[in-house]
Amino acid sequence: MDKSWMVEDRHTEKYINGVKGFIQFAFSHSAKGNTILCPCKKCLNCSWLEASHVLEHLVCEGFVNGYRRWEYHGEASSSLESGRDAHVQQFDEVEENDDLEEDCDELAGMMRDMRHDFGDLSDVEDEGDCREPTNESDPFKQLVGLATLVGVVTSGEYGCPKCHLLTCSRWLTNGKKTCYMDHRRFLVRNHRFRTIDKAFFDGNVESRTAPEPLTGEEVDALTRNMETVFGKDPTGKQTIRKRKRGDPPQIFKRRSIWFRLPYWKDLLQPHNIDAMHIEKNVCDNIVNTLLGINGKTKDNTNSRRDLELFNIRTDLHPVPVGKDTFDLPPASYSMSPELKRLFCQVLKGAMFPHGYASDIRKNVHVKEKKIAGLKSHDCHVLLQQLFPLAVRKTLPEGVSAALIRVSRFFKKIYAPVIRISDMEKLEEEIAETLSILETIFLPSFFDMMVHLMVHLPLQVRLGGPVKYSNMFPIERFLCTLKGYVRTKSHPEGSIAEGYIFYECLNFCARYFERCETRISRLVRNDDPEPMSSSMPFFNGGGRYLAGKYTITLDRNAWLQAHRYVLFNYDNITPYLSKHLEYLSSTGQRNALQIDKIHHDEFHEWLRLHVAHLVDSGEKISEEIQTLAKGPLFVARTYSSYTINGYKFHTKSYDEGRPTQSSGVALVSKLSSSSNESRTYYGVITQILELDYDNKGNVVLFKCEWFDNRVQDKWVKVDKFGITHVNRKHLIHTGHKSSDAPFILASQATQVYYVEDPLAPDWLAVRQATNQRDLYDMFGMGDENSEQADGPTGHNLDPIETISIDLKDIPKTRTDIDGVLVSAKENPKKKNGKGRRVKRGGSHIREMKALKKAAGKPKKKRALEVAIPESTRVLRSQSVMHESDNEEDADNEQELEENEELGLDDQQKKKKDGRKRTRMHTVYDRGNQPPVPVSFNEKGQPNGDNASEFSNFIATLVKTHIPLGHEDWRLVPVEKKNALLTTLRKYYVVDDKLKDYVMGTSHKKWRDFKADLKKKFFKPEKTDEEILTLRVEDNRVSYDDCVWLIKFWRSEEAEKRSEQGKKNRSSQKVLHTSGSKSHARVAAEMHKEKGYAPRRDEVFVRTHISKRDETTMTAETSKVIKDIDTAIEEHPELLEKSIQQGDILSHVLGKERNGYVRCVGLGPTAGSLGIPGAQKLKSTKLQMAELEAEKAWRTNEALMDHMDYFKEDTKAQMDALMAEMAEMRSMLSQSIAGNKNFMHTSEIQPEASVGEYSTADQSIHDVDSIAQLIRKKKEAAQRLNNEAELQKRKEAELLHKKKEEALMQKNNEQDMQKKREIESKKKQEDLMQKKKEQDMQKKREADLKKKKEATVTQKNHQKGNEVILFNVYRDHTTPVAKATILATDRKKIVGGRELGTECCEVVVNYIIKRDAILPRPIGDVTTMGQAQGRTIAWLYKHLEVDKSKMKQASPPQEE
């Protein structure tokens, strides 16, 4: 029977006629009534259908793959197939006689039970067809190991299987391993790295050539005479044979069994180097070294010591700091803790499209500055996609370029289309890249996996694309087989049983009609093939996945969508040309004006033009007529849609999901008359399906497009070829009718965006994976075609190689500090728990002996910083803030110190929970103005310094507030005011924040007492034993210790403890926000979302773990589900406030007094005005509050009246004083006139009587004026007396109240003293004994200081090399090495005399660049600015370098 028609196109007449002939044949041989089995791709010969349905399925879907012999439809077959047909017939008979649904239910139950035992086996793929091996590759190459099966030496001096005896290796004496370098020999002969740039390497000219791999015939000849013994030694001994001195090297352990195959020696590529494991190991090496992860980094003390042995890279040699401590200078790839956090933040913010990769954010720990738990595919995505984004922000440009070249190397290796010319260029490029890396990283970085990168391009040239030879499918299948193991004592049997069970399920699944199986279910991004139609444009493919709604379009959106459909219709070109000709004929000459009119009016012109042609009888295709009429205004929208192998989501649908599937890119022409194109990047906001008169549908994506109108302004490409877009600048938003926000769904290319932590408005564009389940079967042989990595072919990730000049790569970093390490601890490599020995038997015996002798494992020692024995005088307090109550460093500082040291776990500090917080960052700004604290309308701090503000309050509470009180209200107000005063020296605290400060202080005070009790108090201990907490925690006074012990033993304390335990046990809904307050979380959500979050949103955010998106308890999960249910059932609650009863109140019920859920500390239900939350007050209290309010208002009015009275009295007094001054001048004039008159009367006694009367009148006026003045004075004195009387009354009243308060306070103090007298008497002997011990220690310390001072004076001589230690904070931390220039106390340095405390030094080598100078010189305030300068340094904080100290001579007297 001729079946050639089965390979024809399904829409041809030949194929349709062939299908009809097949149906006739099937009905004549295997029909059941009027139905036959449908052999289409979906039915899979499992469904009985009528002839018309079978015809439709075979034309739309096609035959199932490989169904060339119609065994299910009566075609003759072999005996095996006949048996299978009999089985099918028997199954059909059962189907006719029994109830199929009951059998399916029973079988489904059996499958569920078996899946419970064996796990879900539905994802295991079928076995492929076995094929004969070719000359290029072999099916076994993915399953064998070179060292295990082939016998190739893969480690040691000749460990490279490609370089064989010509392997360039070096043994690292301190690192105890082999490194593989000298990659310059793989470069071309005239490359500058071989000769000109030799100084950047080891200084030698490289004249060697690259080694040639051994051929199969050469390997056959080398191993032909080797004796190979298979199996294990029957005695059970493990013998390790070492090559003796003088013996020739061996690169093969035994002869490969595959040489028994006659064609094996002729294969060009008999075995593959697995690119997957190479990529993972290279990624781990780079990430661990950049982040300095302890135990995994390739940069450690042993690596630096090996540099000294090789005498290369002298800038990175360890610098001795004292006797047993070294400083490791920062390499060009080193990063500070801040840069490490930035590196992790870039990776933490990455979200991939659906199905692209796993969520690696859970593996990135920003606070700990490390990445852990990455799988092979995670490293694959990280290295190729995210790594370039992270290194360009944290490393120097030359180092970043070199690492980005490594990233692009693997991206080119994994390309789906491989060209020989590209691989030849890649061979040269990777050799150059590895040579550049040799100038950056240490020799320990170059292990075998890094070296094998140089051989991958040749392997790809011979074996084809990497995806056909890597280990990803093998590893997945091995994981599946591992999942079959249920009995660990017999894993082989478990795997066999599980595999057989899977095969049985796979066979049975072919006969299930109405249940979904692995065979019949759709693939992840299934894109059904379009059905044949007279209007193929409307069969664009794709299917919706979620969020189907029906909407009515407005005129603007309808016009924009319809216009875009018309302009992107393939057969519309003749009509476009006609319309342009029409516009040109109307007199329009400006091309831009023609394009604008063409864009705005073409849809209407087309509708009229097509209608005219149809009326005139011209034949127009139905598709053109439908498009010209336009779509309906009623359309459908979706939230998720899959097409072209991509799964797209809208922007709103992506919110709250760990994936990002809303990014799109499109290449579009600038205008219809131009051939110039431009790439647009955007985010999908709406997925719209237009309905064209119920005859066809078109799916469009409405997007927010980023502005790219100006080149390199809002869409730009950096120097590494990475495209960036600005999210704040958008175009084609859809507000104008001329905008074009839509694109066809079939045109979209998926991209995703990664946020830049340093510039949040800018997003880096990364291209998504290739389309899933779609394969490019055409154009693969075009050697001249350009391979495009993105929608534009160049912008997303260019193919061009980044050129690097070795001069641009710094030898060391000058902007960060090195790492201090101790020379005492030099851990050696161990094999498991026992030491490496020569003989296997003794190795086992020694391990057993060690276990027996060790007993219980010892606890790890605390870290002892290896500082040389000091002869200097150390102060116990800081210079900037001396205090007896300074606290230890917090966890964050300790963590950074441990990570920077890079020591082993045995040397780290032992952490018993959270340590004390010293808050040095706050104390150090004591001379600066107070820092403002941002807070919300409820008076809660919510800014970046909110956590610091709260922690500083806790520190002040523990040092300012006494603990000897049962209740916070009994604490003296003076202590609280003192705390507030101290706080205001460093922060701006107004009246709105005052309530928060007092509430936080109360909580911290209670927590501190609870922590002390938990740490020190045990009922079985005596009071003397518990009193040792005064020694261990000097923040607690002796009186407070005594009071606390007495209170903890009282019945009241026991009752409170039981009640507290009961309350804590009832708390089942636990939050996960840590030390971050709810107010701060709400502020961050407000910034993210752009609106104030609801309480239910804050609840979900603070009760879900950030690491794995899970809840802490089942009750929390239930509450979150109830919240989602309430939102769906009662959406009107979303608009209600707390007072009106919001979502959270509906789910959790009424708020309790004193606390409001998800609001934070401070506000209460009563203060927020929640109905029913206000407490009822007694009538007496209400009347007292009313009287107090009236008295307060009366007092305010009286004070205002007194102020007015004082001002009026002052004005009257000023007027009287002015009037008195005027009267006095008049009086003096009158007296002077009278004297003149009397003198005249003596000379002229004949003066007239009128003149005497005038003088009498003047005297009378003076008397009246004096009398008036006296009256005014009396009135003023009377007013003053009244004011003084009023003040005296108020003072007496205030004094009376103070006396009453003082009497009450004295009574309380007297009672307190009486209670403490007995306790103090018991402790007198103990304290007396302790004082004697303290005095003895003090005398010994004074004697030691005198001796140290004497030694210090002798050692501090001019010319001595010294080590400078930190003056502030930790005084044991070295900050620099220097040389003493002068010790003359009268010498001026930095504008001041040295004095007796300082000497003049010149800084030679910097260890801590941010260390503060004790005496700044102008703008030079830190050690990083003092390189090579002379500065003044305190004798107390420097130490002579004993290894370089000059011979001491008697001190000279000045």
Side-chain angles (χ1 to χ4, degrees), residues 280 283-284 287 360 363-364 371-376 378-379 382:
K280 174 173 172 42
C283 179
D284 289 340
V287 172
I360 68 171
N363 303 107
V364 180
I371 304 174
L374 293 179
K375 302 297 183 182
S376 298
D378 297 334
C379 293
L382 173 64

Side-chain angles (χ1 to χ4, degrees), residues 101 725 826 1003 1008 1013 1028:
E101 294 183 357
V725 296
N826 186 18
K1003 183 178 182 302
F1008 184 40
K1013 181 180 179 181
T1028 55

Side-chain angles (χ1 to χ4, degrees), residues 6 63 93 111 128 158 184 242 349 406 419 445 614 616 663 779 793 812 852 895 974 983 1192 1220 1245 1259-1260 1266 1403:
M6 296 183 68
F63 281 84
E93 293 175 358
M111 290 177 62
Y158 306 104
R184 288 187 295 163
K242 298 186 66 175
V406 175
R419 298 182 180 86
F445 177 83
V614 172
S616 62
T812 60
K852 184 176 180 180
L895 183 61
E974 294 81 3
L983 184 64
W1192 179 79
M1220 287 177 62
I1259 294 171
H1260 180 72
V1403 179

Side-chain angles (χ1 to χ4, degrees), residues 1167-1179:
S1167 63
L1168 294 178
I1170 298 178
Q1174 292 82 358
K1175 293 183 178 180
L1176 299 179
K1177 301 177 182 178
S1178 63
T1179 305

Side-chain angles (χ1 to χ4, degrees), residues 71 221 242 391 635 667 675 778 914 1039 1077 1092 1278 1293 1344:
E71 62 265 26
K242 298 186 66 175
V391 297
V667 180
N675 293 326
F778 307 98
R914 180 176 174 84
D1039 295 339
S1077 64
R1278 194 182 312 111
L1293 181 60
K1344 186 177 180 180

Side-chain angles (χ1 to χ4, degrees), residues 245 339 402 534 563 582 828 838 898 1094 1141 1254 1319 1411:
R245 190 181 301 273
L339 293 177
S534 60
R563 181 192 296 145
Y582 167 74
K828 299 181 179 180
K838 295 182 179 180
N898 287 337
R1094 305 185 306 273
T1254 303
S1319 299

Side-chain angles (χ1 to χ4, degrees), residues 360-373:
I360 68 171
R361 295 180 299 170
K362 60 185 179 182
N363 303 107
V364 180
H365 310 286
V366 178
K367 186 176 181 180
E368 293 82 3
K369 303 180 287 297
K370 69 177 183 179
I371 304 174

